[in-house]
Amino acid sequence: PGDGEWLEVEMIDQAMNAEMDKFVLVKFTGRALEIICEVNLSFKVPVRKEKGRDVLYLKLAKALYGCLSALLWYHLFKGTLEKMGFKLNRYDPCVANKNIKGKQCTIGWWVDDNFISHKRPKVVDSVIGAIEQRFGKMSVTRGDHHVFLGMNMRFPGDGTVRIHMGDYIQEAADTFGEPLTRKIASPATKDLFEIDEEQSELDDDKAARFRSVVMKLQWVAERGRPDIRLPIAYLATRNQSCTNHDWWKLRRVLLFLMDTIDNKRIMGADDLGVLYTWIDSSYAVHLDMRSHTGGVISFGRGIIHAKSNKQKLNTKSSTEAEVVGVSDYLPFNIWIRHFMEDQGYKLRENIVYQDNESAIKLEKNGRMSCGQKSRHINIRYFFITDRIKAGEVSVQHCPTEAMLADFFTKPLQGGLFHRFRDVIMGWKPISALAEFGFQS
């Protein structure tokens, strides 16, 4: 972005052109049978009777949705790219690269929606031409504005991307079906994790709308609005037993989104050789006294990944909860490191920040730092110690006032909420946390 070309390419209905590699019969009855026989009169010949009804069996020659179509199409498209000289990223099999005229050409795809990038537009043209020779004419969008998988993306030319999902948010609000006009300052109150067991469960219609809206907002939180990830992560755990209290919590998230519907997420990088990760845990905040882990990763401007989830076991101290949190979230850091290296960007520094000194000592020294209150911690939670010794990651202390992951462990309010939100949404660089003790 900025000094090259980034294109969105749609291969219309191409997923249905993959050849079936197994013997699959499709049974037609009723109106479907009538329609297919109207389209092709020859299909009337093999029609037979079963229990008094007309039935037609046809063998699938091409892929059909629901019959391994996505997998068949993946292998067909992947094989085509490999024949063109592209090499798959070993850590994301839907990203492929090829060095063309001294610069990397990258193709990423989601079924038959694709993006292609290269420094030179003519190279992109040649790649598109080669793909069209195999699959026919494609719908191509050029320029600095693209709509991809519900994300309205702009590349302003400064090395960043701006993502807006207003239409998707409006769709979720329409599904909710209630007026959403009140202004509020945050998407969740301090009682987010509390469960009122005296509240009645939602009726079937309202429960269905609750689940639908939560699922839509999970995508919004993942791609365009990470500032709602914490409440949506919690509400997703309430799908099977949602109550009026949960409905009120979801309504608050939507009120916040509608009030900020024009907000855009900004993502960029100060240095692709330096990866920053913050990991934090809130101790025993759930009804069953389990803790909550938050993690966030950045290259310096905005965030590229975040996670907010309830821990799967009870811990005996805040220090233990922090160690478990690192064990839960560190694999995402490791995956990003491997993915970037396969894209040709080797990390010089990979820093994990925590605000608990005791947890840092345990992670650096492993069992050697265990005392009477920490001997019981399972050895599997010390795999970070091995990564530290291997030089793959370093752990540093971060003051709580600059602990960005705290945003994803509990519902913050006031100035702290806005301080972290500005950095998470990419409106301010991570260096803005320096005045609160953060050292990059």
Side-chain angles (χ1 to χ4, degrees), residues 41-314:
L41 295 177
S42 67
F43 286 159
K44 291 184 176 181
V45 177
V47 172
R48 54 181 292 182
K49 292 282 186 181
E50 280 188 5
K51 297 181 180 179
R53 291 198 312 165
D54 287 341
V55 175
L56 173 64
Y57 290 94
L58 293 176
K59 177 187 175 183
L60 274 184
K62 300 282 188 178
L64 181 69
Y65 282 117
C67 293
L68 302 176
S69 59
L71 183 60
L72 291 170
W73 164 249
Y74 170 78
H75 287 300
L76 176 61
F77 189 59
K78 175 181 77 77
T80 301
L81 293 180
E82 289 175 332
K83 288 178 182 178
M84 293 169 57
F86 282 85
K87 182 180 178 181
L88 295 183
N89 186 299
R90 291 173 296 173
Y91 300 94
D92 189 332
C94 288
V95 174
N97 303 284
K98 180 182 178 181
N99 188 295
I100 304 176
K101 296 186 181 298
K103 299 294 180 180
Q104 182 165 287
C105 179
T106 298
I107 298 179
W109 68 97
W110 182 284
V111 190
D112 51 8
D113 288 320
N114 304 257
F115 68 81
I116 305 174
S117 67
H118 190 272
K119 200 91 167 176
R120 302 182 183 182
K122 287 186 178 180
V123 169
V124 176
D125 290 338
S126 67
V127 171
I128 290 175
I131 296 174
E132 287 183 333
Q133 284 185 351
R134 174 65 178 84
F135 298 108
K137 197 68 178 175
M138 300 185 294
S139 172
V140 179
T141 303
R142 296 177 180 268
D144 63 1
H145 178 218
H146 300 271
V147 178
F148 190 71
L149 302 177
M151 296 175 283
N152 196 315
M153 301 187 294
R154 288 192 179 275
F155 297 88
D158 60 356
T160 67
V161 57
R162 286 159 167 77
I163 302 174
H164 181 233
M165 298 186 73
D167 292 342
Y168 215 89
I169 292 169
Q170 185 63 58
E171 184 180 321
D174 293 342
T175 302
F176 189 72
E178 292 184 4
L180 298 165
T181 55
R182 187 161 63 91
K183 294 181 180 294
I184 56 172
S186 66
T189 56
K190 292 182 178 180
D191 68 347
L192 175 65
F193 297 141
E194 294 180 12
I195 299 174
D196 187 346
E197 296 179 339
E198 295 183 0
Q199 288 277 332
S200 58
E201 291 193 5
L202 300 176
D203 60 46
D204 290 345
D205 174 67
K206 218 170 184 179
R209 281 188 285 146
F210 178 90
R211 287 189 285 269
S212 178
V213 173
V214 169
M215 285 190 286
K216 290 178 188 294
L217 294 186
Q218 282 181 294
W219 183 246
V220 172
E222 182 72 33
R223 299 301 180 193
R225 293 295 299 270
D227 53 341
I228 65 164
R229 177 177 280 278
L230 172 66
I232 291 303
Y234 170 75
L235 290 172
T237 68
R238 302 291 299 159
N239 277 336
Q240 299 305 314
S241 55
C242 42
T243 67
N244 287 314
H245 197 201
D246 297 314
W247 182 264
W248 180 86
K249 293 174 182 177
L250 178 59
R251 185 173 185 273
R252 184 179 177 92
V253 176
L254 286 167
L255 284 169
F256 177 76
L257 285 173
M258 294 303 292
D259 187 38
T260 59
I261 195 168
D262 293 326
N263 286 179
K264 299 175 179 64
R265 176 185 188 179
I266 301 175
M267 299 169 64
D270 292 337
D271 186 340
L272 288 176
V274 183
L275 188 65
Y276 305 96
T277 301
W278 293 259
I279 306 175
D280 196 24
S281 296
S282 286
Y283 178 60
V285 292
H286 289 281
L287 187 65
D288 58 5
M289 305 309 293
R290 290 187 179 178
S291 302
H292 200 94
T293 296
V296 57
I297 298 174
S298 174
F299 275 111
R301 181 71 184 274
I303 63 173
I304 61 171
H305 188 273
K307 191 76 173 175
S308 177
N309 63 276
K310 178 181 177 181
Q311 293 187 356
K312 296 181 180 180
L313 75 164
N314 291 87

